[in-house]
Amino acid sequence: MNISDLTLVVAAGGRSTRMGRDKRFLPLAGENLLARTLRRGRDAGFAAIVVAAEEARSDLTALAEEFGAVLVTDETPAQGPAAALAAGLSAAETEWSLVLSGDMPFYDFALVRELLPEAAGGTQVVLPTLLGYWQPLAALYRRDAGAVFAAAIARGDRKLGIIMRDLSVRELPLTADAGLFFNVNTPAAYRLALGRLANEERARPILSIAASASGTGKTTFIERLIPLLAAHGVRTAVIKSDSHGFQLDTEGKDTARFSAAGAEAVAVSAPDGYFILQKTRERQDFQDIIEKLDDVDLYITESRSRGVLPTLILDRGLAAPEIDERTAALFAKEKSAQDTEEILCCDLDDPETAARITLFLMGRPLYGTDGIMFLTM
């Protein structure tokens, strides 16, 4: 059995209570969240796709038609994922289906290959686990499991953990990137997803570190972050924006004398590196600068107030942080004062969490305890 023998059942709910708006249609890099899942599922080569939603709507119908999917709705409303499993599996024409939450934009369908060998014998559910967490909305289900979910709903049970007791479940611990199971279910999670997607579009990822006031500690924050990233094999380059101009060499040295004499550029080559000082008529675009830097995995830019997406905003209480759509997370001295549903707020003096967030925003794997924060947001 392979992926072409499976139906993809996308659990597409519709309540989005934590998000505050319909997350299925949140824009992500030129398409909405549900469309991204359906497009990637179609490209993965499933035998069929079923979209299980709480109610039928014209926009859902149109989206299903666009990707060659079948739209089914819950028989009983407000029953959560259990209803999606019941409806989706009942509509599946193949014996086995991958049931996937529609809000997992980074799920890697290659993981299905690890589940398939366990779909045999009397097993009805192949349930992956990660860090001890069940992943029931990224699991394989045999078609007859749908009737078990329907019966449970009819008797008043809707919790997946309770319903699983009536099924033959094969748990399969995975050693996988926890970021692949990231759910976009809050505004804070959406910010992180946007930051990661922005970096997917770039040749090399970028991270901005910004603050609304001098003295917040941007340089110290970056100094503490760099070695933690290096421990994960990340080579960084830091680009600092300075509105006051700069001077690389002291008066009297050769390079300073050449610049003073009017040289448009001065380059120094040494056995362990080089630098180039290039005069320009106006401030150069950030992308033009990073294209000149070699052997770098991540570009960090230190900027005043705001930067490019994704940006980590630092707040020491010196001025109100300028949070906008480019902000991925907030690192504050008094983090308890922030609404964590709206933005991920972390301790300003916690560089380890900053490193984990950065790895996620780069699309780098998160293993072990590195991934817990993203699984439990």
Side-chain angles (χ1 to χ4, degrees):
M1 185 164 61
N2 55 47
I3 201 167
S4 63
D5 299 309
L6 303 176
T7 296
L8 173 63
V9 175
V10 179
R15 300 219 156 206
S16 305
T17 53
R18 295 181 66 193
M19 182 64 69
R21 55 176 166 152
D22 193 336
K23 63 184 176 183
R24 297 172 297 187
F25 294 93
L26 291 172
L28 288 175
E31 59 188 347
N32 61 58
L33 177 56
L34 182 54
R36 177 180 171 88
T37 302
L38 295 176
R39 173 183 58 79
R40 297 176 72 240
R42 179 195 60 191
D43 295 346
F46 286 91
I49 301 176
V50 174
V51 179
E54 188 163 291
E55 60 180 355
R57 289 183 0 191
S58 59
D59 50 3
L60 287 173
T61 301
L63 197 58
E65 290 177 353
E66 179 182 351
F67 293 98
V70 174
L71 176 66
V72 297
T73 56
D74 302 346
E75 290 188 9
T76 306
Q79 299 303 304
L85 282 157
L89 292 173
S90 69
E93 297 183 359
T94 56
E95 182 181 12
W96 285 90
S97 297
L98 173 71
V99 176
L100 185 70
S101 177
D103 63 0
M104 283 187 184
F106 307 115
Y107 182 78
D108 184 355
F109 288 101
L111 291 174
V112 176
R113 290 196 294 267
E114 298 187 41
L115 308 182
L116 286 173
E118 309 301 326
T123 300
Q124 292 174 290
V125 183
V126 181
L127 180 63
T129 65
L130 193 66
L131 308 173
Y133 289 83
W134 282 6
Q135 301 298 320
L137 294 183
L140 290 184
Y141 292 84
R142 205 168 70 190
R143 185 169 46 206
D144 60 1
V148 177
F149 284 99
I153 292 170
R155 67 173 181 261
D157 289 333
R158 54 175 289 188
K159 292 186 177 180
L160 299 187
I162 293 174
I163 302 173
M164 290 289 188
R165 297 171 187 169
D166 296 328
L167 293 164
S168 175
V169 178
R170 171 73 170 94
E171 291 189 30
L172 182 64
L174 294 180
T175 303
D177 173 11
L180 303 181
F181 295 88
F182 181 78
N183 293 97
V184 180
N185 52 19
T186 66
Y190 181 45
R191 288 177 176 275
L192 290 167
L194 288 175
R196 179 164 169 153
L197 285 167
N199 277 330
E200 283 186 357
E201 299 295 317
R202 296 169 174 146
R204 293 288 185 275
I206 298 171
L207 176 71
S208 294
I209 307 296
S212 297
S214 298
T216 300
K218 297 191 299 293
T219 300
T220 299
F221 188 90
I222 295 171
E223 284 178 334
R224 298 172 72 187
L225 178 59
I226 288 173
L228 294 173
L229 294 174
H232 289 272
V234 176
R235 301 164 299 177
T236 57
V238 180
I239 302 173
K240 181 179 176 63
S241 177
D242 194 329
S243 59
H244 303 292
F246 64 93
Q247 186 173 349
L248 280 177
D249 216 340
T250 56
E251 185 177 355
K253 294 292 186 179
D254 289 350
T255 51
R257 291 171 63 186
F258 296 149
S259 294
E264 292 297 314
V266 177
V268 176
S269 176
D272 57 351
Y274 66 89
F275 78 78
I276 299 173
L277 174 59
Q278 174 73 59
K279 292 182 180 180
T280 61
R281 302 290 181 248
E282 57 187 24
R283 184 188 293 268
Q284 293 297 290
D285 181 82
F286 186 79
Q287 295 293 335
D288 292 337
I289 297 173
I290 65 177
E291 287 176 4
K292 295 178 172 64
L293 302 177
D294 300 324
D295 299 324
V296 173
D297 300 310
L298 173 69
Y299 300 104
I300 299 177
T301 173
E302 178 187 338
S303 57
R304 180 69 179 271
S305 299
R306 58 187 66 188
V308 299
L309 179 71
T311 298
L312 304 185
I313 294 289
L314 310 187
D315 176 25
R316 200 175 289 277
L318 303 176
E322 297 184 30
I323 296 172
D324 61 17
E325 68 279 358
R326 291 167 288 188
T327 307
L330 174 68
F331 282 77
K333 196 63 178 174
E334 300 294 336
K335 70 185 186 75
S336 61
Q338 301 295 326
D339 181 2
T340 55
E341 288 286 283
E342 293 300 321
I343 186 169
L344 179 63
C345 187
C346 311
D347 193 312
L348 182 59
D349 297 314
D350 184 2
E352 288 80 10
T353 293
R356 288 193 288 272
I357 292 173
T358 302
L359 290 169
F360 174 80
L361 293 171
M362 293 178 66
R364 287 292 183 102
L366 293 163
Y367 295 107
T369 56
D370 288 349
I372 290 177
M373 175 180 67
F374 299 105
L375 290 174
T376 59
M377 278 190 63

